[in-house]
Amino acid sequence: MSNILSKLVTLIAMFRHWLKKGPILLVFVGLVAPVVAADDALPSWNDGPSKSAIIEFVQLVTDKTGSRYVPAERRIATFDNDGTLWVSHPFYAQLAFAMERVRALAPKHPEWKTKQPFKAILENDQATLGKLTEHDLAEIVMATHAGMTPQQFEAIVQQWLETARHPRFKVRYTELVYQPMIELLEYLRANGFKTFIVSGGGIEFVRAFAAKSYGIPRWQVVGSSIKNKFELVDGKAQLERLPEINFIDDGPGKAVGINAHIGLRPIAAFGNSDGDIEMLEYTDSGKDAHLEMMVHHDDAEREYAYGCDTKVGRLCEGIELAKERGWQLISMKNEWVRIFAFDK
Amino acid sequence: MSNILSKLVTLIAMFRHWLKKGPILLVFVGLVAPVVAADDALPSWNDGPSKSAIIEFVQLVTDKTGSRYVPAERRIATFDNDGTLWVSHPFYAQLAFAMERVRALAPKHPEWKTKQPFKAILENDQATLGKLTEHDLAEIVMATHAGMTPQQFEAIVQQWLETARHPRFKVRYTELVYQPMIELLEYLRANGFKTFIVSGGGIEFVRAFAAKSYGIPRWQVVGSSIKNKFELVDGKAQLERLPEINFIDDGPGKAVGINAHIGLRPIAAFGNSDGDIEMLEYTDSGKDAHLEMMVHHDDAEREYAYGCDTKVGRLCEGIELAKERGWQLISMKNEWVRIFAFDK
């Protein structure tokens, strides 16, 4: 920020006597615009340590004359999705989707009326739902995400994204993407970065909205997955989604997933929970200049406030590590002018 | 091709009377250039059914006024690597690499002197090497490709690519990429396509040269893989390559790999062997206009001629399917002006 200001002051001084001449003013405006752009690209960020860290890092790695210059082909930035790019409370959007699917499919599964965890979903039994285990979640995913082609699955997700509403904000989930992060994605891309999503959520779930919501193409989404089977049906080749876990892109899996899909160590990584620690450690251990940040949910009024006290996007060990390793915590409360595009 | 010619004739007719005037000639040249470009982009292709099919397909899907227009975000083209983009005879480059690694690592493995398939490699026992099974190959890969980080593995591959020479052509393997296919990759990209490699070979092996040889970034390479494990060593996060198969990107695996990495059905696919059939079938079954081609190795003089009579890049069932499905066979002998950049 101060860097930008000093450049502006110098420019204004240089052009001072020209300012008296009308037509030259246009030239001046044209010259200054690109310098201001870097800063203006993040209008939803308050001046503060996070915004400074981002801008200074981008200047560092894009400065061809500097010793920490990183060529564009290695400017890889990875973003967790739930809680980092969009709301993940009171529960993950994909879980809301899966529960909706359980209700829709229930007529074909009379046995669910007496079988957990399906019974709890159908009866909206909050006490039981609050205690779902990993195994319960896997069972819900298997029952609702498999047995169709990837194209059919995506059409169902698209339909749900159009019709479902968040329980607190009463808007579509895609309206609950964080505006400061959208600006950050665009700012990084404008500076030659390739942006990737590295989500614990389902890769095909996230792909259904990544291009439209984040400007990220489908092949730049990394996520958890179930297996697929190739088959010919009436001479047409298609894939069928199987009720079998293929890969869990969470914790250490995030570093593995990054290597499998991207094949390069990121130089910038953004998360919000303990499940992102290994992704940040992997980024932190590279030879190039690197940046690691954690979105800190500390704004109960405009969004949510949580840390060690939740199972959804728990950030606990990560807070300590951030201090130790010099990772930047982004205070949603203090550093974000607005959280959603619809905020003033 | 005839389309291009008819456009040229029309343009020449339109500008005929202007041609008498000197300065206007420059304007004419400027106007015609873009039309010719599509054709000139493939100088290593003889006029023939394959070149026509490529150009007509690209014109079809990029013509905004046409009914078969495909928006750029769905213009996905996938390419097999061995035998499609570079030489795969007399054996796969990656096998040559693995055998070289066996020789380099032999001092640390005295047991290999008496243990097959390692014994055959160390003794250059061609009779036994000609009969290697899939299981033998897997054992060779496990013994030579694991136990290090992806970065260390890539450095070894890079070193090998610099020093190894092809047994017949006596040049680096990267000099044995097919010049007509390089032009095709560039032509497709110039027309808004995203180009991907979908190889039965190792994803990290192919990534070591994909950017430099093909202009394809690492995250647009799909291939077979072994597992990786995340670990912290002296506080540094790294991955270790494990001697355990993760995914075989061959046959039906190619359609599965495409879905996992790209998340879209290709509209153009290029292969050369029966292992590419399912990739072509998957492409062939899409709703958009699509193109499927097989490089046919029928030029023993300039490269190799093989079909049903080889285990390396066998094309047998695929020939029949190509006729049935209307897939274009590319005759290397008749349709390629040159095979390698060093050919006249």
Side-chain angles (χ1 to χ4, degrees):
Chain A
M1 182 56 197
S2 56
N3 195 1
I4 299 288
L5 271 181
S6 73
K7 279 189 189 168
L8 257 180
V9 169
T10 312
L11 271 170
I12 289 169
M14 279 172 64
F15 285 93
R16 199 166 37 184
H17 76 278
W18 287 14
L19 278 172
K20 293 163 197 162
K21 301 174 188 176
I24 304 295
L25 191 60
L26 289 169
V27 175
F28 172 74
V29 170
L31 278 166
V32 171
V35 180
V36 178
D39 198 20
D40 261 355
L42 302 171
S44 298
W45 293 74
N46 285 317
D47 292 340
S50 294
K51 185 171 185 172
S52 298
I54 293 166
I55 292 173
E56 280 164 23
F57 173 71
V58 168
Q59 286 174 346
L60 184 74
V61 300
T62 55
D63 176 6
K64 276 196 173 175
T65 66
S67 64
R68 305 312 302 273
Y69 175 73
V70 178
E73 63 268 25
R74 290 209 306 274
R75 285 182 217 149
I76 303 294
T78 55
F79 291 79
D80 167 61
N81 183 45
D82 293 300
T84 299
L85 294 179
W86 77 350
V87 167
S88 69
H89 267 231
F91 35 66
Y92 296 120
Q94 194 173 356
L95 180 59
F97 164 75
M99 294 201 295
E100 165 80 24
R101 291 302 301 156
V102 167
R103 286 188 287 268
L105 295 168
K108 287 183 187 168
H109 294 273
E111 75 278 12
W112 286 354
K113 280 186 190 156
T114 54
K115 191 184 168 194
Q116 294 295 14
F118 306 101
K119 184 171 182 281
I121 294 169
L122 296 176
E123 294 173 355
N124 198 20
D125 167 4
Q126 292 294 329
T128 306
L129 289 177
K131 289 179 282 184
L132 290 183
T133 64
E134 299 262 310
H135 180 263
D136 290 333
L137 291 174
E139 249 200 288
I140 294 167
V141 167
M142 295 306 151
T144 55
H145 286 51
M148 62 193 96
T149 69
Q151 291 78 15
Q152 288 165 338
F153 177 71
E154 174 154 334
I156 294 170
V157 176
Q158 296 282 9
Q159 167 76 10
W160 179 80
L161 286 169
E162 273 307 306
T163 53
R165 296 294 182 276
H166 186 274
R168 170 174 162 193
F169 295 103
K170 314 291 182 200
V171 296
R172 288 184 186 84
Y173 284 87
T174 48
E175 291 175 68
L176 298 175
V177 298
Y178 302 140
Q179 181 59 23
M181 297 305 280
I182 301 295
E183 293 166 9
L184 174 57
L185 284 165
E186 283 166 5
Y187 174 58
L188 290 174
R189 289 195 292 260
N191 282 283
F193 280 77
K194 292 279 176 186
T195 53
F196 291 81
I197 291 174
V198 180
S199 172
I203 187 168
E204 310 227 35
F205 183 81
V206 179
R207 277 178 179 158
F209 58 93
K212 207 169 161 191
S213 293
Y214 306 132
I216 293 181
R218 311 163 74 93
W219 49 91
Q220 287 171 218
V221 177
V222 185
S224 298
S225 55
I226 57 177
K227 296 208 175 194
N228 278 273
K229 187 181 78 177
F230 176 86
E231 56 189 14
L232 283 171
V233 176
D234 302 330
K236 291 279 180 189
Q238 63 179 48
L239 296 174
E240 190 190 337
R241 291 165 60 78
L242 303 178
E244 195 181 336
I245 294 285
N246 178 57
F247 181 67
I248 300 292
D249 191 59
D250 197 29
K254 291 210 174 191
V256 173
I258 284 168
N259 185 62
H261 284 262
I262 311 175
L264 268 180
R265 200 188 283 262
I267 65 167
F270 303 84
N272 79 303
S273 80
D274 288 352
D276 298 314
I277 286 175
E278 286 88 348
M279 174 168 79
L280 269 62
E281 285 179 321
Y282 191 56
T283 306
D284 193 356
S285 302
K287 285 174 190 160
D288 286 324
H290 48 82
L291 176 71
E292 297 78 27
M293 302 184 107
M294 286 272 197
V295 175
H296 192 202
H297 292 262
D298 59 358
D299 191 339
E301 200 181 310
R302 293 188 302 173
E303 203 240 14
Y304 295 96
Y306 52 87
C308 297
D309 55 339
T310 179
K311 281 177 83 174
V312 180
R314 186 170 187 269
L315 179 65
C316 197
E317 197 192 324
I319 293 266
E320 291 312 307
L321 260 175
K323 279 182 207 154
E324 207 177 287
R325 295 265 200 166
W327 301 341
Q328 183 68 44
L329 285 182
I330 300 167
S331 166
M332 293 176 79
K333 186 173 178 175
N334 300 320
E335 303 203 88
W336 284 1
V337 176
R338 62 187 65 78
I339 291 182
F340 308 116
F342 58 72
D343 287 337
K344 277 144 266 173
Chain B
M1 184 54 196
S2 55
N3 195 1
I4 299 288
L5 272 181
S6 73
K7 279 191 190 168
L8 259 180
V9 169
T10 312
L11 270 170
I12 289 170
M14 280 171 62
F15 286 91
R16 200 166 36 185
H17 77 278
W18 287 13
L19 278 172
K20 293 166 197 161
K21 301 173 190 176
I24 302 297
L25 190 62
L26 290 169
V27 175
F28 172 75
V29 170
L31 277 167
V32 171
V35 179
V36 177
D39 199 19
D40 260 355
L42 302 171
S44 298
W45 293 73
N46 285 317
D47 291 342
S50 294
K51 186 171 184 171
S52 298
I54 292 166
I55 292 173
E56 280 165 22
F57 172 72
V58 168
Q59 285 175 345
L60 185 73
V61 300
T62 56
D63 176 6
K64 277 197 172 173
T65 66
S67 64
R68 307 311 302 271
Y69 175 73
V70 178
E73 64 266 24
R74 290 209 306 273
R75 285 183 217 148
I76 303 294
T78 56
F79 291 80
D80 167 61
N81 183 45
D82 292 300
T84 300
L85 294 179
W86 76 352
V87 167
S88 70
H89 267 232
F91 35 67
Y92 295 120
Q94 194 174 357
L95 180 60
F97 164 75
M99 294 201 295
E100 164 81 23
R101 292 301 301 155
V102 167
R103 288 187 285 269
L105 295 169
K108 287 183 187 168
H109 294 273
E111 76 279 11
W112 287 354
K113 281 184 190 157
T114 54
K115 191 185 168 193
Q116 294 293 16
F118 305 101
K119 184 171 181 281
I121 294 169
L122 296 175
E123 294 174 355
N124 198 20
D125 169 2
Q126 291 295 328
T128 307
L129 288 178
K131 290 180 283 184
L132 290 183
T133 63
E134 299 262 309
H135 178 262
D136 291 332
L137 292 173
E139 249 200 287
I140 294 167
V141 166
M142 294 306 150
T144 55
H145 286 51
M148 62 193 97
T149 70
Q151 291 78 16
Q152 288 165 338
F153 177 71
E154 174 152 335
I156 294 170
V157 176
Q158 296 282 9
Q159 167 76 10
W160 179 81
L161 287 170
E162 274 307 307
T163 54
R165 295 294 181 275
H166 185 274
R168 170 174 161 193
F169 294 103
K170 314 293 182 199
V171 298
R172 288 184 186 85
Y173 284 88
T174 47
E175 292 174 69
L176 298 175
V177 299
Y178 302 140
Q179 181 59 25
M181 297 305 281
I182 302 296
E183 294 166 9
L184 174 56
L185 285 165
E186 283 166 5
Y187 173 58
L188 290 174
R189 289 195 292 260
N191 282 283
F193 280 76
K194 291 282 175 184
T195 55
F196 290 80
I197 292 174
V198 180
S199 174
I203 188 168
E204 310 228 34
F205 183 81
V206 179
R207 276 178 181 157
F209 58 93
K212 207 170 160 190
S213 293
Y214 306 131
I216 293 180
R218 310 163 76 93
W219 50 90
Q220 287 172 216
V221 177
V222 185
S224 297
S225 55
I226 57 178
K227 296 206 178 198
N228 278 273
K229 188 181 76 178
F230 176 86
E231 56 191 11
L232 283 171
V233 176
D234 302 331
K236 292 278 181 190
Q238 62 179 46
L239 296 174
E240 190 191 336
R241 290 165 61 78
L242 303 178
E244 194 182 336
I245 296 284
N246 179 56
F247 181 67
I248 300 292
D249 191 59
D250 197 29
K254 290 210 173 191
V256 173
I258 284 168
N259 185 61
H261 285 261
I262 310 176
L264 267 180
R265 199 188 285 262
I267 64 167
F270 304 84
N272 79 303
S273 80
D274 287 353
D276 298 314
I277 286 175
E278 286 88 349
M279 174 168 79
L280 269 62
E281 284 179 321
Y282 191 56
T283 306
D284 193 356
S285 303
K287 285 175 189 159
D288 285 325
H290 49 82
L291 176 71
E292 297 79 26
M293 301 183 107
M294 285 273 198
V295 175
H296 191 202
H297 292 262
D298 58 0
D299 191 338
E301 200 181 310
R302 293 188 302 174
E303 204 241 12
Y304 295 97
Y306 52 87
C308 296
D309 55 338
T310 180
K311 280 177 84 173
V312 181
R314 185 170 187 271
L315 180 64
C316 198
E317 198 195 325
I319 293 267
E320 291 311 307
L321 259 176
K323 280 183 207 154
E324 206 178 289
R325 294 264 201 166
W327 300 341
Q328 184 69 43
L329 285 183
I330 300 166
S331 166
M332 293 177 79
K333 186 172 177 175
N334 301 321
E335 302 204 86
W336 284 1
V337 176
R338 63 188 63 78
I339 291 182
F340 308 116
F342 57 73
D343 287 337
K344 278 144 270 177

